Amino acid sequence: MLFRSISLLKILNTAIVSLAILFSFSVSAADVKVDWVKPEQYKDIDAGGEGKSNFKKKLFKNLESVFAKGAKDLPNDYQLEVSMLDVDLAGHVDHSAGVMARRIITDSDFPRIIFYMILRDDKGNIVFQGKQNLREKKMKHNSFRMKGSQSEFFMEKDLIEKWFEVALVPAVAKA
């Protein structure tokens, strides 16, 4: 019994040391700052039946997390500044249901996100900057129905993820 306890302790110690080493490595990511410019003028961030203030907070938090996730693929000494200028969520809110109003997304509904971005290097020099108008009419609604219905703002987050993957990260790699 004592032999088994010592073996178990060795295994636990090895596991703890391994986890400590794993978590001691910092995840490299660029610093990201997202500024929401005049959100009251955005084309469509209608909450439907949900409280408007809570809905905005949830939307902003979700989109900010996508920018932070995408920044992990940028050099860790870079800084990404994003000024959100407009958000047009996929679909429209059907207000005919009154308090139970909800967002309806059809095959012809697509999101649109407009922002101005500045990417700076470790010395503060501007690497890239410009207005981004993200909109993809070719987005597969089947993908949305399979995965999107399980997560909030799936189509909007997908636009930002694709922007990092197809535009920003490859451009930084070439610079």
Side-chain angles (χ1 to χ4, degrees):
M1 187 74 144
L2 181 60
F3 179 71
R4 286 185 183 167
S5 296
I6 292 172
S7 295
L8 183 60
L9 283 174
K10 284 183 179 180
I11 292 170
L12 285 174
N13 282 338
T14 303
I16 291 170
V17 169
S18 298
L19 285 172
I21 291 170
L22 178 67
F23 287 112
S24 68
F25 293 109
S26 63
V27 176
S28 66
D31 289 331
V32 179
K33 180 184 174 215
V34 179
D35 183 34
W36 299 90
V37 180
K38 299 180 184 177
E40 65 279 355
Q41 295 178 5
Y42 291 178
K43 184 168 182 168
D44 176 21
I45 56 171
D46 191 344
E50 190 173 338
K52 194 171 192 169
S53 176
N54 288 337
F55 183 80
K56 274 186 187 180
K57 287 178 189 175
K58 185 169 42 173
L59 171 65
F60 294 175
K61 181 180 176 185
N62 270 271
L63 297 185
E64 287 171 10
S65 72
V66 177
F67 279 105
K69 180 182 170 189
K72 290 180 181 178
D73 294 329
L74 298 173
N76 63 353
D77 50 356
Y78 277 36
Q79 299 162 350
L80 177 62
E81 301 167 19
V82 176
S83 296
M84 295 297 285
L85 303 174
D86 194 11
V87 175
D88 183 358
L89 297 174
H92 68 282
V93 175
D94 178 12
H95 289 285
S96 65
V99 177
M100 299 301 291
R102 62 188 180 114
R103 184 165 291 277
I104 308 293
I105 300 174
T106 67
D107 284 341
S108 61
D109 293 322
F110 301 92
R112 182 175 181 185
I113 300 172
I114 301 172
F115 59 92
Y116 191 86
M117 59 80 67
I118 300 173
L119 182 65
R120 299 179 190 274
D121 65 14
D122 60 336
K123 296 179 178 106
N125 299 319
I126 295 175
V127 178
F128 294 107
Q129 71 176 349
K131 187 175 182 180
Q132 308 298 307
N133 185 351
L134 308 183
R135 184 176 186 172
E136 183 179 9
K137 289 188 174 186
K138 297 177 197 169
M139 188 176 288
K140 303 285 187 221
H141 281 68
N142 288 338
S143 170
F144 168 73
R145 288 188 181 100
M146 297 293 285
K147 299 183 290 186
S149 60
Q150 305 302 314
S151 65
E152 295 181 299
F153 313 112
F154 171 78
M155 295 173 81
E156 293 77 12
K157 293 189 288 190
D158 193 50
L159 275 179
I160 298 169
E161 288 169 356
K162 285 181 181 175
W163 174 74
F164 273 102
E165 182 183 319
V166 175
L168 187 59
V169 172
V172 169
K174 289 179 185 177

